[in-house]
Amino acid sequence: MTLGLFNLSGKDLEDNLGLIRRTLEDYSCRLYLFGEGFLQGPDYPSFDYEKDIYRTISSSSIEIAGLRKLSKDKGVALGFGYFENVSGGIYNSYMVIDRGQVIFENSAVSRGWMKKDAHADYRQGKALKSFKLEGRRFLPVLGFDFFLEDLLIWLVEYDDRVDYFIWLDRSNLEEFIKRSQIFARQTLSLRRDGAYQLSLGKVLSQNEKALLVDI
């Protein structure tokens, strides 16, 4: 199975929906992964709640429905980050769709992606979750969740239960590599500076924009 990590970003939701479609035309993968907060673009969130709430989308939105149809029509799996509206709360979320079906959805547990004085309606998820595809189990981890000490025991437990970590992060490279040393499983990561495949703190492969990994 070929997995693709794509460090791409347009300016807004419309741009990034187009980027997904073009990426599916340009590369041949079973699973296409895009980064944390990908759909709304790099300038979101502003942490002005009254503005941000109008750029969020729900998991049942027309945009997500369109991506589900695209995934089904192409017979592939898509993973992407987006800022989700759940009853007026804004969550830093990630979704994976396989052939039209949602097989994973979860939100960042830590507050690391938020400003310290963020409005109370910028909210956190509750737990880590994994998903299975083609006989392999993956654990997506959003941003600062990989550094959150309260989650460390669960991450270590998942190290024995999954085949790969998927880390969608914005920390600097040195911190990223150091943290990945403690896990036996390989870490596949999308970051602002590129896409990476790591094992025990060693970079196995990397690319600034697109990294294809056969697993």
Side-chain angles (χ1 to χ4, degrees):
M1 178 174 76
T2 301
L3 176 152
L5 300 161
F6 298 97
N7 183 36
L8 305 172
S9 182
K11 64 181 181 180
D12 56 24
L13 180 59
E14 183 177 356
D15 268 3
N16 287 320
L17 291 172
L19 268 178
I20 290 178
R21 295 187 186 95
R22 291 194 295 275
T23 301
L24 267 62
E25 295 295 332
D26 292 342
Y27 296 89
S28 180
C29 301
R30 177 67 178 88
L31 172 60
Y32 297 76
L33 295 173
F34 299 85
E36 179 185 18
F38 168 76
L39 284 186
Q40 279 96 342
D43 296 328
Y44 186 97
S46 68
F47 292 101
D48 180 337
Y49 179 81
E50 298 300 325
K51 293 180 180 179
D52 286 344
I53 192 62
Y54 290 104
R55 292 176 62 190
T56 59
I57 57 176
S58 74
S59 60
S60 59
S61 66
I62 190 171
E63 293 86 359
I64 299 296
L67 291 173
R68 291 181 66 173
K69 184 178 186 304
L70 180 65
S71 167
K72 182 178 180 180
D73 291 347
K74 297 292 186 179
V76 299
L78 303 174
F80 50 87
Y82 71 110
F83 289 92
E84 182 182 10
N85 183 341
V86 182
S87 301
I90 297 175
Y91 291 80
N92 179 8
S93 297
Y94 203 83
M95 177 179 284
V96 180
I97 302 165
D98 181 30
R99 293 170 175 160
Q101 299 300 312
V102 176
I103 62 171
F104 176 88
E105 50 185 332
N106 202 24
S107 302
V109 177
S110 81
R111 294 181 58 85
W113 63 277
M114 303 181 199
K115 286 186 175 180
K116 290 183 179 180
D117 59 349
H119 189 285
D121 279 326
Y122 293 90
R123 298 179 185 170
Q124 302 159 254
K126 295 181 179 179
L128 299 172
K129 296 180 182 178
S130 64
F131 71 93
K132 196 171 185 178
L133 182 69
E134 302 288 350
R136 297 166 180 85
R137 186 163 293 279
F138 302 88
L139 178 69
V141 183
L142 284 165
F144 196 76
D145 287 4
F146 223 43
F147 293 99
L148 194 64
E149 292 304 317
D150 289 348
L151 289 179
L152 183 57
I153 188 172
W154 303 110
L155 289 167
V156 171
E157 180 180 329
Y158 269 112
D159 200 20
D160 291 327
R161 295 167 49 193
V162 302
D163 298 293
Y164 293 90
F165 289 104
I166 299 170
W167 190 6
L168 306 134
D169 189 43
R170 301 180 183 185
S171 65
N172 70 54
L173 183 59
E174 183 178 349
E175 291 175 337
F176 162 62
I177 291 176
K178 183 178 180 180
R179 190 62 165 180
S180 71
Q181 291 175 352
I182 69 176
F183 301 106
R185 301 304 181 193
Q186 285 192 21
T187 302
L188 307 171
S189 186
L190 274 169
R191 311 163 39 70
R192 286 179 175 173
D193 55 5
Y196 292 82
Q197 178 187 15
L198 288 93
S199 179
L200 300 173
K202 303 293 184 181
V203 177
L204 302 180
S205 57
Q206 66 184 90
N207 190 280
E208 183 180 352
K209 294 298 183 183
L211 178 64
L212 304 187
V213 181
D214 291 321
I215 60 175

